[in-house]
Amino acid sequence: MSEKSFLDEAEVPENVAIESQLPLNAIDIESQKDMESGRYHALRSLHKWFAARPTPAVRLAVLASVYPGEIDSDELLRLMKIGPKEMDTGIADYVEEKFTEKKGNGTLDDHYDYPNPNTQSPTEAEIKNLQSKLREAWGGELPTILDPTTGRGIIPFEAIRYGIPAKANELNPVPSLILKAGLEYAPEVGSLDPAIREWRDKILDTARENIEPYYPTEDPGRQILNSAMTYVIQCESCGGEIPLVSKWWLNKDSDGGDAILPVYEDGEVRYTYTRVEDAPDTYDPEDGPLRGESAECPHCDVVNEQEDVQEKIHDGDFEFSIYGVNYETSTGERKYRAGNEYDQKGMEKAKQRVESDFDLLTFLSEPVDVSSRISDPSSYGMHEWRDIFTPRQLVVQYEFLQAFEEYKPKITDEYEEQRATAILTVLSLAASRAMNYNSRLNQWRDSRGYGSHIFTDNNLIMKKMSVDNNLSAPRRGYRKHSEHVIDAYEKLVNYLPDTNSAEVVSMDAGQLTTEFESGSVDAAIVDPPYYSSIMYAELSDVFYVTQKEYLEDIHPDIYSSSLTDKDNEAVANPYRFEEIADDEQSKDDLADQHYESKMEEIFAEVQKLLSSGGVMTVMFTHREMDAWDTLTSALISAGFTITATHPIKTEMSDRIGVQGKASADSSIFLVARKQDTESPERTLWEDVQDGIRQAARNQAEEILDSGYNISKTDTAIAAYGPTLQKYAEAFPVVNKKGEEIRPREALSQAREAVTGVLAERFLKTEGLEQLDSLTRWYILSWLIYENDTIPYDEARQLGVAANVDIDNIKRTTKIWGKSQKDIVLKDHTDRVQDIVLLKSDSADNPSSRKYPVDPTDTRFTYTIDTVHGAIHVYEREGPRSAWEWLSDRDLKSNQEFEATVTALLEVLPTDSDMREVLVNLVSGETGDYLDINLDHIDMSGEDRQTELGDHQ
């Protein structure tokens, strides 16, 4: 229990800095820099985890949530280690100016003329000055920060880095181990070097000796680094061998690259090595037997369908096959060769070992517990976690564990308990990190010539072209990964001079008052799980089962269960509710309810733990309105109201692997305080509706006017902040019937208001408001999302803003199609019947009837149909027919047609096929006929027709 005394209201600051204006542009820029490879927080190098905030955004949340009153922009940025050391004022302007300047040949730090803030800790003088201000404002004591859903722990780490007491909690054991290393051992035990490297070398030497027989090689001077591996199945038709390879590249380079030239003879396949530039002209390294999920037999050309391929792998009716090898010569040169009989002997030797060694029979035998069919490795026969490894990979994992176990008692005997535990913990993180690069779930990357880690796309999908790593080899093996982990740990130690550790627990965040005293926390910084984007527990089991083998006796409190806790995890996972869903409540509804319930539990615990003047800052990133609706409802139900909001860029813009592409690039910081205990009066929705719309509109205009560097999509999401603040201030909100209005309705109003602002700012086309709803929705979709793929919920909400129900028009218009959780906007190729067939004897061809737009019609229901028809005619029959088609329909004077064409030219990407044809349509004689004013649109450099004979 904490002995922190309760603070009276008079002893706490009335406001903190995060409730005032902040230099967001500069922090946003620094956050983007922080997300570049090699610049991020050392905690991220300790071990893989599935979410991480950039350090500048975290520091802002930590410092501004406890700093009393307003804080000068320069003072805050200096404290955050942003800007040149000698600069006293104008730091924000300096950072923004450097961001717009072209970077020279030097490093990013050279360009900005100050070091990476990640590597810079505050000085003793800065910490002393900060603590003095904090004590003065917080009743003589330093405020305590709580992170109830810590993840890998960057928030509490940055708190103790600034000398601010911190409490950290994490339910999942995998990041809990990272917390042990970074928040306890780094500040309390300190450096483990050089002892830890000496023990690492002993473990590696022992494991290497035992692994070597499984990597035989024809040339003793060569050491296998890693191998490209696939599955060979037998053809359903002829029984011939089919390697499940889609392309034969091993490594692409500027001259061509290394590849495999397969030889198919007598129903068998063997591999030969080639440089692509030296291969026969008929050779195509992109042409492998695998066609999507099906496989074409190279012996008889029969296609083996996806179901048959999957069934064979599921039933074990295949052979592991090494088709390419990356090796190192005795002089250290890295080269490639084809897989051969020596590689197969090594694989076979490992298979015999696994089948005969009793100890190996139960190694990593915990069941795979993955609910999503998309990400479930058991669909390919991997029912236990041992199955995600080939026999050789399993033996390698086992031998490293055995080497670790050999030295574990020696380490515990040689050092005092906490130091020994720290050494063993960090070494186990190294082993787990190395495992991340050696399984059947790893993809061979021909662009780099070696394999990826498991979670390149945050799922557990089996890869048909996988990698087999020799972890005993120096490059990309255990030694390299252990160096990453040890170096990261030592950096953390250096970042924390003379500081206290954080108080770390590993439990359900909805039960924190059983561990911490009520009122013992002054600021809670919550980075909640990403709703439905990432299934943390399901994914992390792959690490958990390995770490448990290493540390079950060292950390029995963390590794007490068979697998990770999925029942108490705060995520919205519909697949977990399939068996209990019914007509009244779908699995999605039940998943939403679970997430909202768990988040309300967590927020309620935080409410109890906060002191009377305490602040909660919630960092949330999501595109789906359902996520914001459930999170906000949970926050308000737990007794909070929102006092301020800030948009911060915290995600990589090209980030992949989140389900449904649901995560946005920017986060919103929601700042909340406890509500008054009195029961508030209900507010009528009609009384706040206009204010909510105006708040959203003001936020969008402010962002656009400031030049804040976020996308149109994130501009709309940034408006959620002030919208939710207005809603929370008015809560509870009801309609005239007395029915509750949920946050979703307010967010819907915000989306509509922001869409209007974006259309006003970025579309110069006149008459857009006169277009039919469907056409307007189509144009706005391209404007805001800038590509043809949009999260379904966002597309539906944009439809509400445009006054169209996209579900009702889907079947009749076929203007969009579904792709998992996304919609895909359709163009003329998917919507218009073939005019050539319609004019021929094939007019009744059934294949044309599935397209809703008949180009021979003279009038169309929607203007977008008219435009798609014109594009089709131009593309199918050429400019002259298009001229006649346009003239017959008198489109020269059609304002709706002109507005649609002009708007599409404004919003379509320059590389899209639809835009290319539109450019031609408004050029040459068809352009002369239409006579559309396009002076405001830059079409320089684009190919255009000049007369009616062109482009036919």
Side-chain angles (χ1 to χ4, degrees), residues 34-36 38-46 52-56 58-59 116-119 152-155 157-158 161 183 488 491-492 495:
D34 187 76
M35 288 181 278
E36 294 194 18
R39 294 183 62 83
Y40 36 72
H41 205 284
L43 277 170
R44 293 182 63 181
S45 294
L46 271 182
R53 301 290 181 179
T55 306
V58 169
R59 283 185 180 173
N116 178 2
N118 239 328
T119 65
R152 60 162 59 90
I154 294 178
I155 291 171
F157 184 90
E158 288 301 307
R161 196 171 182 178
L183 299 182
K491 285 179 181 177
L492 295 174
Y495 292 163

Side-chain angles (χ1 to χ4, degrees), residues 651-665:
E651 310 292 334
M652 289 296 289
S653 58
D654 60 347
R655 201 160 47 107
I656 61 172
V658 290
Q659 296 182 16
K661 299 179 182 176
S663 288
D665 293 338

